[in-house]
Amino acid sequence: MSKKVHLQIDGRDIEAEEGMTVLQAAQSAGISIPTLCYHEKLQPYGGCRLCIVEAERNGSTRLAASCIHPVEPNQVIRTRSEKIDRHRKTLLELLMAHAPDSPKLQELAEEYGADRNRFEQEVAFCIHCGLCVRYCAEVKKLNAVGFIDRGIRKEISFIPEIAAKECNDCKDCFPLCPTSYLQAAFVLVESLAFPRNGK
Ligand code: SF4
Ligand code: FES
């Protein structure tokens, strides 16, 4: 049986299991923390930093991404504060410069008072959460979609040889995408590389 870890989240005493992340412990207690790159079936990734919380231990406080931060005994966690909300607001404003029409981002922007026009728009649609790439690799074991390039030039790309065989019967990654870019990228590669019915 796994060891229990007692910690405090938002003033509540929580009993978690050793090895859980702070996000999992919070979710198991019904405390909601916003996420963009987390999925319960995938390895911890820690890419988007939206799930940041304040973690206090032995008198010092630091910001930590709750989806990769393990629970520690007697830790005091805050999931909302002025500092956290400011961080999330700025992050959402930056992401909305790339994907202003994403319903998921719009919903979060409303909650955190984020202004979608704060930063100059450089619409790229994909916000690099990696959910599609990791889900296809880790859960489906297909690797039909991957990242190409790095840094600001990074983008997802379907591998036509694999996608032609596997994707039409799957499409499990489509609903994971917070921006719907994935679906558009698939339709494009399908029409260029393996059109159905000769279209
Ligand atoms: S296409 Fe969508 S799911 Fe895939 S990395 Fe980009 S935003 Fe995330
Ligand atoms: S959900 Fe934790 S970093 Fe993205």
Side-chain angles (χ1 to χ4, degrees), residues 125-133 147 156 176-179 181-182:
F125 306 105
C126 174
I127 56 166
H128 301 156
C129 71
L131 283 175
C132 57
V133 173
F147 277 120
I156 60 127
L176 305 181
C177 178
T179 73
Y181 174 69
L182 184 64

Side-chain angles (χ1 to χ4, degrees), residues 161-181:
E161 300 76 32
I162 306 175
K165 277 197 286 190
E166 309 288 355
C167 293
N168 273 316
D169 291 334
C170 174
K171 297 182 180 170
D172 285 2
C173 60
F174 284 13
L176 305 181
C177 178
T179 73
S180 74
Y181 174 69

Side-chain angles (χ1 to χ4, degrees), residues 110-182:
E110 194 159 327
E111 185 174 351
Y112 289 93
D115 173 4
R116 64 187 250 163
N117 297 313
R118 176 164 170 207
F119 296 105
E120 195 181 337
Q121 295 208 343
E122 278 180 68
V123 179
F125 306 105
C126 174
I127 56 166
H128 301 156
C129 71
L131 283 175
C132 57
V133 173
R134 291 180 293 126
Y135 196 88
C136 193
E138 293 177 33
V139 178
K140 307 299 294 193
K141 314 270 187 232
L142 291 172
N143 294 299
V145 58
F147 277 120
I148 51 169
D149 262 329
R150 288 170 159 263
I152 51 164
R153 290 162 57 89
K154 181 160 113 172
E155 54 181 270
I156 60 127
S157 178
F158 282 90
I159 317 300
E161 300 76 32
I162 306 175
K165 277 197 286 190
E166 309 288 355
C167 293
N168 273 316
D169 291 334
C170 174
K171 297 182 180 170
D172 285 2
C173 60
F174 284 13
L176 305 181
C177 178
T179 73
S180 74
Y181 174 69
L182 184 64

Side-chain angles (χ1 to χ4, degrees), residues 76-130:
V76 176
I77 301 288
R78 264 182 302 279
T79 70
R80 293 291 291 256
S81 70
E82 206 180 306
K83 191 172 177 182
I84 294 168
D85 283 13
R86 205 168 49 237
H87 167 91
R88 290 184 186 149
K89 174 178 177 293
T90 305
L91 198 55
L92 289 164
E93 287 168 340
L94 286 164
L95 291 173
M96 287 190 100
H98 300 298
D101 297 324
S102 155
K104 168 101 184 176
L105 292 182
Q106 284 174 354
E107 194 185 302
L108 287 162
E110 194 159 327
E111 185 174 351
Y112 289 93
D115 173 4
R116 64 187 250 163
N117 297 313
R118 176 164 170 207
F119 296 105
E120 195 181 337
Q121 295 208 343
E122 278 180 68
V123 179
F125 306 105
C126 174
I127 56 166
H128 301 156
C129 71

Side-chain angles (χ1 to χ4, degrees), residues 49 51-55 62-69 75 77:
R49 317 306 281 184
C51 68
I52 221 105
V53 294
E54 280 177 9
R62 63 193 177 101
L63 289 177
S66 62
C67 69
I68 50 173
H69 189 76
Q75 199 167 39
I77 301 288

